[in-house]
Amino acid sequence: MLKTIGAQSIDELFSSIPQELRLNRELELPGPLSEHELRKHVKDIVKDNFDASWNLCFLGAGVYDHIIPSAIKHLVFRQEFYTAYTPYQAEMSQGILQAMFEFQTMITELTGMDAANASLYDGASAVYEAVLLACRHNERKEVLVARSVNPEYRKVLTSVFKYSDIEIKEIDYIMPDKGAKSGTVDMDMLKELISDKTAAVVVQSPNFFGIVEDIKAVSEKAKEVDALLIAVCDPISLGVFESPGKLGADIAVGEAQPLGNPMNFGGPLLGYFAVKKPYIRRMPGRIVGETTDHDGRRGFVLTLQAREQHIRREKATSNICTNQALCALTATIYLSIMGRKGLLDVATQCINKSNYAYQSLLKTGNVAKVFDAPFFREFVVKPAVHPEKLNEELLHDSIIGGYDLSKEYPELEGCWLVAVTEKRSKDEIDFLVNKVDSIIKGGI
Amino acid sequence: MLKTIGAQSIDELFSSIPQELRLNRELELPGPLSEHELRKHVKDIVKDNFDASWNLCFLGAGVYDHIIPSAIKHLVFRQEFYTAYTPYQAEMSQGILQAMFEFQTMITELTGMDAANASLYDGASAVYEAVLLACRHNERKEVLVARSVNPEYRKVLTSVFKYSDIEIKEIDYIMPDKGAKSGTVDMDMLKELISDKTAAVVVQSPNFFGIVEDIKAVSEKAKEVDALLIAVCDPISLGVFESPGKLGADIAVGEAQPLGNPMNFGGPLLGYFAVKKPYIRRMPGRIVGETTDHDGRRGFVLTLQAREQHIRREKATSNICTNQALCALTATIYLSIMGRKGLLDVATQCINKSNYAYQSLLKTGNVAKVFDAPFFREFVVKPAVHPEKLNEELLHDSIIGGYDLSKEYPELEGCWLVAVTEKRSKDEIDFLVNKVDSIIKGGI
Amino acid sequence: MRDERLIFEKSVEGRTGYSLPPNDVPQVDINALFGEEILRKTELNIPEVSEVDVIRHYTNLSRRNFGVDSGFYPLGSCTMKYNPKINEDIAALDGFAQMHPLQNPISSQGCLEVLYRMDKYLAEILGMERVTLQPAAGAQGEMTGLMIIKAYHMSRNDHKRVKIIVPDSSHGTNPASAAVVGFDVVQIPSDERGLVDINALEAILDDTVAGLMLTNPNTLGLFEEDILKISKMVHACGGLLYYDGANMNAIMGYARPGDMGFDIAHVNLHKTFSTPHGGGGPGAGPIGVSKDLVPFLPVPVVEKKDGYYNLDYDRPLSIGKIKSFYGNFSVIVRAFCYILSMGPQGLKDASGIAVLNANYIRKKLEDLYEIPYNRTCMHEFVLSAVRQAEKGVTALDLAKNLIDKGYHPPTIYFPLIVKEAMMIEPTETESPETLDSFIEAMRELATKAAEEPESLKHAPKTAYVSRLDEVKAARNPILKWSK
Amino acid sequence: MRDERLIFEKSVEGRTGYSLPPNDVPQVDINALFGEEILRKTELNIPEVSEVDVIRHYTNLSRRNFGVDSGFYPLGSCTMKYNPKINEDIAALDGFAQMHPLQNPISSQGCLEVLYRMDKYLAEILGMERVTLQPAAGAQGEMTGLMIIKAYHMSRNDHKRVKIIVPDSSHGTNPASAAVVGFDVVQIPSDERGLVDINALEAILDDTVAGLMLTNPNTLGLFEEDILKISKMVHACGGLLYYDGANMNAIMGYARPGDMGFDIAHVNLHKTFSTPHGGGGPGAGPIGVSKDLVPFLPVPVVEKKDGYYNLDYDRPLSIGKIKSFYGNFSVIVRAFCYILSMGPQGLKDASGIAVLNANYIRKKLEDLYEIPYNRTCMHEFVLSAVRQAEKGVTALDLAKNLIDKGYHPPTIYFPLIVKEAMMIEPTETESPETLDSFIEAMRELATKAAEEPESLKHAPKTAYVSRLDEVKAARNPILKWSK
Ligand SMILES: Cc1ncc(COP(=O)(O)O)c(C=O)c1O
Ligand SMILES: Cc1ncc(COP(=O)(O)O)c(C=O)c1O
């Protein structure tokens, strides 16, 4: 081959790299390891992880430990799917294109929207893309975000727009001792802050505390000033709850990891993004559309590409290129397996089991109530021992405890956000409750 | 559907089963369990297993813990392969048929034979099928089997032919204190027993003690009386050793589990079966042959079916129907990945590492030599503590110790058969040696 | 897109795709150790390819194959039901896959528990006393059962029993297994009902009969209604009854071979219990036996004492071993998972729906195809393409045309007693919609066979190859690749 | 064999395929708890199918897709190298896959170790001080880098830097990312060498320039030879240099962006580090930064103290967070495995062979195709189908014909500065034989384009569909299925 090229050595092919730039030493890296050595090496690392296969996970806060049907990975890890690139050549990519079309359909169905894209990185990026869309659409610069929105999303929002001309303002939630609506968006503050400068209002339901928000009320407020309503919704919960679209949202976004994707230490996750009709051509990311082939048969292609970076460059609706297609495929297969009834069953079990855990914890007398509004899958309580301490102790019993809310909500010092999915059995919940109780009684 | 059939209920469809035969109670079985419950239930069972992923395996005796390349299961568990039946409809089964043709080619190449079938259940069944072939071929009824052949195979032989007119006679191996050839077939005894009644001689190399036999010498003896030589050979060892075909064997059979198949608590295993030309039409089991399609393109089909049970019934060469195709596919892929060079490397490492372990054990002074002949991957020693006791102790250090030979060879009381594959590192071998030494010194 | 090469034809001298740890112990001088004459002299012709070559080669081969995950697979007698994925995941757990069979039982209690419980579960399903899980497939189960029959008679010093009776509708493995173990095989005809001809049976029953092998429902998909009579007759003459359980999928929870008078029964885990067939195997063929025969079971038997499982080899009447170790363990694990997933009612429902589905197809085809024994069938039925054959369209032609329609064809030319047989077994895992489209396809073919028979002679057209010449393959066998 | 239905079109009322444990806690009255108005009123149109329906549907869909495991995939800029299977197995370990990101670090030391070590490894490969693994893809890496550039200037009270310079050959994500973060984008032309036009650059450098984004080798596969000069110029005017590492596969172990003067650099783990692209994603786009920029990295940063890994959030100058948690962890695990498998020499060899392969194809095609910048290239090169286009055969036509020959086509119509561009990147994992057959295919197409151009206008013919109408799709968008 070198002869064909007319070079003496491979090194010669690198002659366009100036001599002074050449690395004249070996990279300081370990390896090479053979497969077997690598496996041993990694097993050694992994043994320091307390994973949810042998620890009971009651931690949520944006990523959830749901039951994942076995069939999923037998399909997603078909090599034709996972070793393909983005389907630029539609004719040899009908598999993933059709699946993405199905994904888009399912997302619109869940959210009550008119169109969805083929995925974004995660819930956080879906939120900032939505904000960007809104600001560009109505040429306003102010965005109101409920403090009950996942703090990770809010932090990302703040960072991304820190030096841009978009301003993020936060709206409080109603504090614990302030009645039946405690834990939900403070509508008074919303009314106060909203104005004709407001590009969009961002609200999450179930919110970060697991509490279901009144999307309709917020959206009505937003409509009054022609601001867009961005609803952040958990897709599992949409098995029982009315879709944000029906409740008035203009954009529905969120994290779809719970749809069959493993927690993976937080990544990859799966951002979904759906809009009402007026905003379709402003959507970020890949969109798959139906068309026909030369012979009139149905087929699928990437479409509306004139929005995208590879064509519009700086004028693109977003910079996203690589997305989370395989996670979207996972979600599509998850929803297909669960079906309408299965999704409803998961959602209902989440409600039943989280409520059972909540009541049981309160019953111990050592765990106090915090909010009053009804919740989905996740709830806030205040144990008599600080969550940080409590979690550390629970780990000894192979329990991954809830989220310490004081990290992000100083006013909720001592509060604990506990997630209970359909995966937890009554026995496991009772085990948690007993351990919490005895740790507290032990007076640590 | 019932209406179409004209029945009132599913039960009615069972009316041809006499009433008194109907089971009028529910089966006494547990379940149903959902996927998640099943997974939990089984994990609970599995935790009582000390498997070779976290225990160092020095046990062989017919099933070996070799390194298995990751790529294999990504291919073997392609659904089109593993959820198919036997390729009766060749046109829609070219995948498995071509792979079996490749398998047959590899087996003939390793064994130096003219043809191979597409697999038998295991080494043991391959041996009895070979004996059956031989006896039917030369219409003789006496078969000589070396005692150094895997005892599992000999037991199966004995059982299968117990009440038939085929008689199995065993030939001793040369005892420990009887010189450089100790541990190999006793040629004197062979000469004594062999006669023109002998249908076949069965010899294994490396034999059950890991020792390489002189197949050529045995085969020459067999030829003198027109008996067939059945050689039982480990396929990994054939990476370095001359093929049985070249050494005079008429039939080569054995266990091909080491070619990429997990140990699976002993099953499925993989019997291979290869013969010289005169015996092709007497082979048992499926055979794939090359042919052409209507358009003249190469294709593959099950062939020589006139030997088989579905056509010849009681006159078939064998009763086998379902075989071990997927294990054969595994072996084919294993050999493809390893390639000529990789197989040689595995075989050489087995020799190096087993010899290193052997020498190191002897060096402790607490482990005695037993046989003198050179071995492959596995060797016999006599530790100063009984193997049974020793193995029990080693388990505490997560070591799966060698095989206690006294179970099958009373004369080898106290002898220990240790297998060391390429999977074991020097450190791991040293760890074994130290533990053995200290257990013995501890005087248990 | 066609790449017809064999893996050997992709080999490039010196290329490698393997990954091994370095040899970290002293190198042995192999020549010196073994002597040159024993070492391989010619280079091994094992392909030299890279990992990506291998991945692409076998990925593409798989794409030329059809499994039950690809579509409908009504291969009669083979019970191609769906193989749940969870069972694959569980069988692949290190805690099962990486276990050595000769480990100290103290370190393999989990595996032994599975074996012990499966013994009990299958015994309950079959109505038998105990089960051995050793046989690797149905045919090996038959051998084992026949060896037990022999051992039983011998133990009673009854040496003259050399005959095994099989019906002419029986599967080929039945007579073949009897022959391997050294029995004489006597075949009896079926009567006009498609069932065992009682008179013919009567006629040959004597004290040389060791036993009778029967499938029930038989290979025509019909229940042997006289089974109690038959078993009494055979027992009366001192023979034993062997149940070929390949068709067990029809009757789980409805009836049990043990209750019918069978003394021994196998089941094919790769049929009734949903373990995948692997393109030919591995399967598993456990056999259950009645109380009297328990002492003859192969060793070892798993026993439980004080919560501890152990392997009992000390069984003086045992026939010994039929297979290495304890059978196709990882297949057994899958079937174990299947039973637990289904539960008792689930298994019964599976049989119920399997029977429903078969009858539905039968009804929907009976006007266009000849159905020799056309009455309520069990989980499968056999039609005959004789009407179509008159027009020159054989069962083989119909089968090849089904390929083009996206279906795996039914079993053809079996059982041997039906001309132009097509044996259709839909199984319970297929939906009514799938059955309807298959029925539609079969009806279309019948119409075409009547109207334009010639058009059906050239299938398949959409498969990777067109019709293959089997005669050529057998006449001039090419059984391996050569350079 | 064609089944064109969507999963929705296979739905049958009431059918289910899921398996959940029974609800074993008291049932909550959902209506009462939440109030009816908040509950879903219309039935969800999520398909109702069985597990076997789902398996067959998506198995068959997969068969209409082409991955790098199917064959050669020279998609320029996307670096479609082989994805080793061991990495998939390791990423799927429960110990990684079932970890929650917010667990107490004491219970996730293994995960944190991987993150910590990857930070170090990538820093070494890039010649940077530290690396954040947070960005989910290259484009998000760019955003992160640009945010750091902004933060850096702001921290120095340098508020007027609003411009980001990108060459006209740059990838679309570069200007798009700059725009998202709020920069003004200035594009500069390439010179006749295909490299950054130094004069044009000179002309626009001033104190409003925040930074320059550059791919090196650039998207023409050419090394920016003046890079040291360029970096000096940009630094001199107070700007920073961002390295788009999509082409890092060309130079691993040969040269490092840090040494070239870049201040920030991303790598696409799904390109250079062999993690699979998943039909669109997920990927990962870690970025490395020079010492001065370390304080601006997103939080958290993994630190190690006394052998214990912890998450450092206390970084006052940090730009904050760009993505939830710590990035696409399971992608990072795969890349970690890749680096350990390859070792330092292996990585360098990968680049060496990638460059060799690209030049080999280039040489073998230069007589039949126009190659605008035809000199020694790095890991990819761009040819122009202008000669063929004169005959009416466009790059698109050539691409579609390659499909029929079993290849994934190269990237077409990018970079924008080459007419009828075909960007060919073979990667190091392809064998000479594969390259030769691809070359052969390309040569055949060139001959056909010259001799019988019309014959190339109807491809693909062997794909699941024929050429698809993209214009129709965009004009009248159908973006979801409706009943
Ligand atoms: C009726 C019948 N009996 C026996 C067998 C043999 O079983 P196996 O293939 O498991 O050996 C079969 C398999 O096709 C069968 O259908
Ligand atoms: C040169 C170049 N830059 C940036 C990107 C964007 O990377 P990603 O797709 O990972 O966001 C790509 C990907 O195609 C690329 O080729």
Side-chain angles (χ1 to χ4, degrees), chain A residues 1 14 16 21-23 25-30 32-33 38-39 41 45-46 49-53 59-60 63 75 77-86 89 91-96 98 101-102 104-105 108-110 122 128 152 156 159 163 212 238 240-242 246 263-265 267-268 281 289-295 298 301 303 309 313-314 319 322-326 332 335-336 338-342 345 349 352 374-375 395 426, chain D residues 4-7 9 18 21 23-24 27-28 34 38 40 43 45-49 57-58 61-62 64-69 73 78 80 85-86 88 94-100 103 107-108 110-111 117 121 124 139-140 143 150 154 170 172-173 175 177 179 187 223 225 227 250 254 256 259 270 276-282 319 321-325 328-330 340-341 344-345 357 400 466-469 472-474 478-481:
Chain A
M1 288 170 72
F14 287 80
S16 61
L21 284 182
R22 304 282 192 91
L23 188 68
R25 60 167 177 86
E26 203 170 61
L27 289 168
E28 279 176 34
L29 295 171
L33 297 184
L38 177 62
R39 210 178 277 123
H41 180 71
I45 295 174
V46 155
N49 283 338
F50 290 50
D51 71 70
S53 77
L59 185 54
V63 171
L75 294 166
F77 286 97
R78 295 270 305 170
Q79 300 166 358
E80 296 92 332
F81 280 139
Y82 85 87
T83 75
Y85 206 79
T86 302
Q89 294 291 338
E91 293 85 358
M92 75 200 310
S93 312
Q94 285 299 292
I96 192 78
Q98 179 173 327
F101 187 79
E102 293 174 349
Q104 292 173 186
T105 305
T108 56
E109 189 60 34
L110 284 168
D122 59 3
Y128 73 65
E152 287 274 327
V156 170
S159 311
Y163 301 112
V212 182
L238 294 176
V240 281
F241 295 134
E242 187 53 281
K246 281 257 167 77
M263 299 188 291
N264 276 328
F265 202 53
R281 284 176 195 266
E290 182 182 316
T291 186
T292 49
D293 75 358
H294 222 257
D295 305 301
R298 177 165 69 182
V301 293
T303 195
Q309 44 75 27
R313 301 178 66 84
E314 66 273 17
N319 68 329
T322 289
N323 59 13
Q324 309 281 114
L326 207 68
T332 310
L335 286 170
S336 301
M338 298 313 287
R340 177 211 314 245
K341 192 158 170 300
D345 198 348
Q349 288 208 30
N352 291 336
F375 52 82
L395 214 48
K426 179 173 177 303
Chain D
E4 304 205 6
R5 289 174 297 164
L6 297 173
I7 190 78
E9 293 162 339
Y18 75 99
N23 181 59
D24 57 358
Q27 196 86 36
V28 168
F34 295 104
I38 219 163
R40 187 173 281 273
E43 285 221 312
N45 177 31
I46 295 295
E48 298 181 270
V49 289
H57 184 75
Y58 292 101
L61 280 193
S62 78
R64 299 173 201 161
N65 234 45
F66 186 97
V68 77
D69 283 1
Y73 212 126
C78 301
M80 291 299 279
K85 300 308 161 209
I86 174 82
E88 297 305 311
D94 281 343
F96 287 138
Q98 299 216 38
M99 289 293 290
H100 193 289
Q103 285 183 219
S107 68
S108 57
C111 290
R117 288 171 57 185
Y121 296 166
E124 164 68 1
Q140 206 176 34
M143 267 179 75
K150 197 96 181 195
M154 290 300 195
S170 67
T173 52
S177 299
Q187 189 162 300
F223 195 84
E225 301 173 15
I227 181 61
Y254 281 96
R256 310 192 304 170
D259 300 339
H270 47 292
H277 197 263
I319 56 162
K321 286 189 81 51
I322 175 78
K323 182 183 183 317
S324 292
F325 314 116
N328 279 344
F329 180 75
S330 89
L340 290 179
S341 302
Q345 188 59 43
N357 284 354
K400 300 304 180 194
S466 57
R467 210 176 293 189
L468 288 160
D469 189 344
K472 178 177 170 183
I478 306 175
L479 308 181
K480 62 173 185 169
W481 178 82

Side-chain angles (χ1 to χ4, degrees), chain B residues 85-86 88 121 286 309 319-323, chain C residues 75-79 136-142 169-174 177 214-219 242 244-247 266-271 277 280 282-285 380 411 414 423 425:
Chain B
Y85 206 81
T86 302
Y88 295 135
Y121 305 133
R286 309 292 182 190
Q309 46 74 26
N319 68 329
I320 193 171
C321 176
T322 290
N323 59 13
Chain C
L75 194 68
S77 209
C78 300
T79 313
Q140 207 177 34
E142 296 168 15
S169 66
S170 66
H171 193 263
T173 51
N174 294 184
S177 299
L214 211 59
T215 318
N216 194 14
N218 66 22
T219 61
Y242 182 93
D244 172 348
N247 293 339
H266 86 244
V267 277
N268 310 64
L269 297 188
H270 47 291
K271 300 182 178 185
H277 197 263
E380 65 193 2
T411 300
F414 178 75
M423 187 180 195
E425 178 178 12

Side-chain angles (χ1 to χ4, degrees), chain A residues 85 321-322, chain D residues 77 137-139 142 171 173-174 215 219 244 246 268 270-271:
Chain A
Y85 206 79
C321 177
T322 289
Chain D
S77 209
E142 296 168 16
H171 193 262
T173 52
N174 293 184
T215 317
T219 61
D244 172 348
N268 310 62
H270 47 292
K271 299 181 179 185

Side-chain angles (χ1 to χ4, degrees), chain D residues 89 97 187 230 272 285 304 318 368 373 393 400 435:
Chain D
D89 294 350
Q187 189 162 300
I230 295 171
T272 306
K304 185 177 180 181
S318 165
L368 295 182
Y373 308 94
V393 177
K400 300 304 180 194
L435 304 184

